[in-house]
Amino acid sequence: MKLNGFLKIVVILGMVAINSSAWGHSPNDAGEGGLQSKVREAGLIMYGQVVDIQYRNSEPTKEQPQGLPHTFVTYQVLEVLRGEVPDKKVTLRIPGGSDGQGGVYMVSTAPAFALGQTDVLFVKGGEINDCQLVECVEGRFRIHDNQVLNGWGVPVVEAHKTLRVGGKPRFDLNVMEIPRPSFKALLERPDMKAYIDRVSQESRQSLKDLQARYDREAPKVTTVNLGNQNLPIQKDVTEEPEAYPMEVYEDALTPDVFFDAIREWNKQVGDPRSPIVMANVKERFEVPDNEVLALEAKDEALPKISDEERYDIHAKEGLR
């Protein structure tokens, strides 16, 4: 096998080992309670740009001996729309991300990030216990080409009276940037070690030589596109009349209009309940295992029936 092919395959196989939970939201969901509810729940609403992304695993548990990958994303604050920020940069912890061995853990209700993206974030106040965004992916709004999109990339077309989304989505914006895992980390994965050992034998190259070329030529960052959500079109085989044309949506809101709506709701709901807590990528953190409740069986005595009742039941059954 050619080494160029080896490098490409190692990177691809290493990066796309994706573990995803079941989809819990639709891209067209506007979240619970509309924009007013999101503003009320937010300890901070800010407009910012992604300037740093790092990944760390939570502490090992019985169910997750390697811990669960989390994303530590840092934003340069460009404008504050609600609450206060302790610094010009804000770091948040979001579930999902790279596991450090080339694998990717995706959480369906959490957003993915790439450097340079600009967003409006609704950040929850108080201690960090899970996703730091209000309703997680629903608490992120993308700013792209002077348009406001929801966390999935669907245009936001109304925000003052109700929060409404619709129109042509930009799923191509849903990307995750995964740093290149170390060669040593790849060898700790049984599947990758078996593959690399086979390549080493076929190419008659030592692991040391393969590692040197991997470190020299493999890309430092690989972009994983999470936006391929094209569903097959099924032919309508019913005899129902043709459906009415789909709703035609207005143009997506501009950032200025969206910001004005946030400021209006901010005046109505009052001050934030609690300030935000900055995530620290250097601190260890725990994610508890899902609690499994045992089912308790109860012995309940069956109701007693008389001989007359039993005879009556049998007689009725015989008549059927």
Side-chain angles (χ1 to χ4, degrees):
M1 177 179 291
K2 295 182 179 180
L3 289 186
N4 286 338
F6 157 72
L7 289 172
K8 184 179 297 185
I9 292 175
V10 165
V11 173
I12 292 176
L13 290 182
M15 295 298 184
V16 299
I18 295 179
N19 180 2
S20 176
S21 59
W23 290 99
H25 290 262
S26 164
N28 289 319
D29 285 347
E32 300 293 336
L35 188 61
Q36 180 183 12
S37 175
K38 287 178 173 55
V39 173
R40 180 183 294 109
E41 293 299 318
L44 168 70
I45 302 177
M46 53 161 281
Y47 168 49
Q49 185 174 36
V50 179
V51 294
D52 186 58
I53 302 171
Q54 298 187 53
Y55 302 100
R56 295 290 184 275
N57 289 359
S58 61
E59 290 294 287
T61 65
K62 180 180 179 180
E63 297 294 330
Q64 301 292 339
Q66 303 299 323
L68 287 176
H70 283 66
T71 302
F72 287 77
V73 56
T74 299
Y75 279 82
Q76 178 73 45
V77 179
L78 303 177
E79 186 171 351
V80 176
L81 303 169
R82 173 174 169 84
E84 298 179 355
V85 290
D87 199 350
K88 294 182 179 180
K89 293 182 180 180
V90 170
T91 300
L92 305 174
R93 193 180 83 201
I94 308 295
S98 169
D99 65 359
Q101 293 182 309
V104 176
Y105 177 74
M106 288 174 52
V107 178
S108 63
T109 55
F113 305 91
L115 291 175
Q117 294 176 336
T118 54
D119 304 298
V120 175
L121 303 177
F122 291 65
V123 186
K124 294 188 293 188
E127 295 300 319
I128 305 173
N129 50 27
D130 53 4
C131 181
Q132 284 195 265
L133 300 179
V134 175
E135 301 177 50
C136 211
V137 70
E138 305 294 348
R140 179 203 196 182
F141 291 86
R142 321 291 296 273
I143 305 299
H144 185 78
D145 287 343
N146 202 38
Q147 294 182 328
V148 180
L149 315 172
N150 71 358
W152 306 99
V154 181
V156 177
V157 298
E158 170 61 36
H160 284 84
K161 296 181 179 180
T162 184
L163 184 60
R164 193 162 65 96
V165 302
K168 184 179 180 180
R170 290 295 305 271
F171 290 144
D172 59 300
L173 299 178
N174 298 329
V175 297
M176 180 185 293
E177 293 181 339
I178 306 300
R180 180 184 66 192
S182 68
F183 199 80
K184 179 180 178 181
L186 288 177
L187 291 176
E188 292 174 355
R189 280 177 49 179
D191 58 337
M192 291 304 302
K193 185 177 187 307
Y195 175 76
I196 294 173
D197 286 342
R198 187 172 75 251
V199 172
S200 176
Q201 294 175 5
E202 293 177 356
S203 64
R204 298 182 180 181
Q205 297 288 316
S206 67
L207 290 180
K208 184 177 180 181
D209 292 336
L210 292 178
Q211 177 178 355
R213 185 157 191 185
Y214 175 80
D215 292 340
R216 184 173 63 251
E217 299 183 15
K220 293 184 178 181
V221 175
T222 296
T223 299
V224 178
N225 192 322
L226 310 176
N228 185 14
Q229 300 189 26
N230 295 324
L231 302 179
I233 299 176
Q234 298 181 352
K235 184 178 180 181
D236 189 357
V237 295
T238 66
E239 296 182 358
E240 298 292 331
E242 292 185 5
Y244 290 102
M246 295 182 63
E247 181 178 359
V248 178
Y249 292 95
E250 300 89 351
D251 293 336
L253 299 183
T254 64
D256 288 341
V257 173
F258 189 58
F259 292 176
D260 288 343
I262 293 174
R263 293 189 184 100
E264 289 179 13
W265 284 121
N266 184 46
K267 293 177 182 177
Q268 296 189 34
V269 302
D271 295 333
R273 303 171 187 174
S274 55
I276 69 163
V277 176
M278 294 272 282
N280 188 340
V281 70
K282 297 181 180 180
E283 291 181 355
R284 295 181 176 180
F285 62 99
E286 298 179 354
V287 175
D289 291 329
N290 293 329
E291 183 179 1
V292 178
L293 300 178
L295 295 178
E296 182 178 351
K298 294 183 178 181
D299 294 329
E300 296 184 0
L302 295 175
K304 294 182 179 181
I305 60 176
S306 65
D307 292 339
E308 294 180 356
E309 291 173 324
R310 185 178 296 107
Y311 176 81
D312 185 55
I313 293 173
H314 291 164
K316 289 181 179 179
E317 290 178 348
L319 294 175
R320 294 175 183 175

